[in-house]
Amino acid sequence: MAIKRDSKLQTFLNEHFNEFSQSNKERIRALYSDFTQLSIINKYAFDLNIKFWRQVILDVSQQGYLGSSDSCLIIDRLNLSEKFMRPQIGRPLSMDLVLDYMKKKGELMTQDEFCRKYNTQSGWLDWLYDRNNKHKWALLPTGDDKDHSIVMPTLKAIAKAIMNHRQKTNAEPLSTLTQFRSLYCHHFMYDLELTDTDITLLLRYLYSEYGISIMDSMKGYNNTYTVIKFPLKEKVREEITEQDQAIISIRTSCQAITTQIQELQHQIENLSKQSREEHHAGHKSIALYCIKKKMNIEKIIAKKVKVLETMDTILMKIESSKDNMQIVEAFNIGADVLRDILEDDKLSVESVNDVMDKVQSTLDDTKEVEDAMHFGLEDNFSDTEYDELNELISSNKTTVGQSFTNKSQITTEPPNQSTNTDTELKRLNDILTPNKDPSTQKEKQLHEPIM
């Protein structure tokens, strides 16, 4: 297994990093050399080498090529350089400098540091370790804790991929630990093979950073289960309720019954095959026995299928009831928000009526202004004023036109008037000019055609 992993590692390095190709021998020798003193001579080259090896370690770790059979998320500082051994070059001599740099950036953590930062505040993790015959945080069978570091970027990438997968697939929030393993342990991301140790680290991180809930020793069908509940809202932890326990109990029962039905179906197939063989061999009694046994098993399967259908129906009703509860909750929240808005002094029946009265008053004022402006542009002479004007014109013995009887009856002489007419009109104009009222507009109308 180690030889196969090392072979994949070398292939990955050759394909994804030009520095490991045969044409860059000088560069690869510089990277594999002890470049400690380079920090004094050429700081830029020193930082470049450190960042290169950092990227190599992170990329290779996400592929699952740096771990061991106990964990793919934990690297051994003592043996890490051996994994990058190359013919005629040897192993990298400055790997400790790179690991120290990554540790300062928080990309590598010892197991104790990880435990202190991502605290579960519950006893389920201890139970997991006891179940796996491991003491608390004794994740590796040998070696000092300081020599083993968790690659945090790899752990975080797996956790994020899991949460994205559940969101995209609209997965159920409840899951057993067995289901979690089957979904995410084997090649879920690249070639990673997550062990029980990796699962424990991953669950601790998900509990602390993403708000999952975990309950161990939950009773199911003829067994106890570790149950994981993922949050419906981002990072909002929801406790595992009695309804969740009932759902897990029904689901595990359905899974067990389904497995039993599959096993019984396999027995039926074997009995059918055996009955045919015995019949061909002339063993009629044994063939009939096989057929009778097969019919009895079919009756058992029919009963189990009915039980399975009933349990599925109950499970569907429970889940639909939970959906209905969420809908009612949403209605209640909406009603509370509307009530809070209506209780505001600025939004009441009285305040709305006052506002509407103000709006109506403003509209009325606007209409009056518009009417006044329109009225000023119209002909605003009264009949009395026209009578006075007729008398004035008649008294001056002018032939400007016939008497004005109303606003519309105004006649004018042709353009070729005599000099006397012009004089009379001029005098008429002098008489009317001092009047500073709307009648001046009508005067202009009279004056223009007469000219």
Side-chain angles (χ1 to χ4, degrees), residues 216-225 245-246 248-250 252:
D216 60 300
S217 301
M218 182 182 290
K219 291 183 178 179
Y221 186 84
N222 289 338
N223 202 349
T224 57
Y225 298 86
Q245 297 182 40
I248 289 297
S249 177
I250 295 174
T252 54

Side-chain angles (χ1 to χ4, degrees), residues 370-386:
E370 291 176 351
D371 291 343
M373 293 177 66
H374 183 65
F375 181 77
L377 297 175
E378 289 181 348
D379 185 0
N380 199 27
F381 290 106
S382 65
D383 292 339
T384 304
E385 291 170 337
Y386 276 101

Side-chain angles (χ1 to χ4, degrees), residues 161-349:
I162 290 174
M163 299 305 294
N164 289 340
H165 173 263
R166 299 192 70 84
Q167 184 178 5
K168 289 180 180 179
T169 58
N170 197 22
E172 290 290 334
L174 287 175
S175 174
T176 63
L177 183 60
T178 303
Q179 293 172 335
F180 185 86
R181 281 198 184 101
S182 63
L183 284 174
Y184 304 117
C185 277
H186 306 291
H187 295 218
F188 172 69
M189 194 173 80
Y190 304 118
D191 288 339
L192 287 171
E193 288 281 352
L194 301 181
T195 64
D196 288 341
T197 298
D198 298 326
I199 290 294
T200 305
L201 294 174
L202 187 58
L203 290 177
R204 178 182 281 273
Y205 180 79
L206 289 172
Y207 179 91
S208 177
E209 297 300 308
Y210 286 92
I212 69 169
S213 296
I214 301 178
M215 179 179 289
D216 60 300
S217 301
M218 182 182 290
K219 291 183 178 179
Y221 186 84
N222 289 338
N223 202 349
T224 57
Y225 298 86
T226 299
V227 178
I228 305 167
K229 186 175 183 179
F230 289 85
L232 295 175
K233 298 180 180 178
E234 186 176 359
K235 298 183 180 181
V236 179
R237 181 176 287 105
E238 296 186 7
E239 299 298 328
I240 298 176
T241 63
E242 293 183 357
Q243 293 178 352
D244 296 330
Q245 297 182 40
I247 290 174
I248 289 297
S249 177
I250 295 174
R251 281 184 183 173
T252 54
S253 299
C254 290
Q255 292 171 359
I257 293 173
T258 301
T259 303
Q260 294 173 5
I261 291 174
Q262 292 173 350
E263 293 175 352
L264 292 173
Q265 190 65 40
H266 185 64
Q267 291 183 21
I268 288 177
E269 293 173 359
N270 291 335
L271 288 171
S272 298
K273 182 179 178 181
Q274 184 180 356
S275 64
R276 288 194 299 269
E277 292 176 351
E278 295 295 338
H279 177 71
H280 289 308
H283 304 152
K284 184 177 179 181
S285 299
I286 299 177
L288 290 173
Y289 169 76
C290 291
I291 293 173
K292 186 176 182 180
K293 188 175 181 180
K294 171 188 169 184
M295 295 174 65
N296 290 334
I297 294 176
E298 287 175 347
K299 292 179 181 179
I300 295 174
I301 290 178
K303 292 180 181 179
K304 288 185 177 294
V305 167
K306 288 183 179 179
V307 172
L308 186 61
E309 290 176 353
T310 303
M311 299 187 77
D312 280 337
T313 302
I314 294 173
L315 186 61
M316 290 176 62
K317 289 184 178 295
I318 292 175
E319 292 175 347
S320 62
S321 298
K322 291 179 68 176
D323 293 338
N324 293 337
M325 288 176 61
Q326 291 178 359
I327 294 172
V328 171
E329 243 180 69
F331 285 157
N332 287 333
I333 293 173
D336 292 339
V337 172
L338 287 175
R339 187 177 294 108
D340 292 340
I341 295 174
L342 291 175
E343 288 177 355
D344 192 346
D345 293 337
K346 296 181 180 179
L347 189 61
S348 62
V349 176

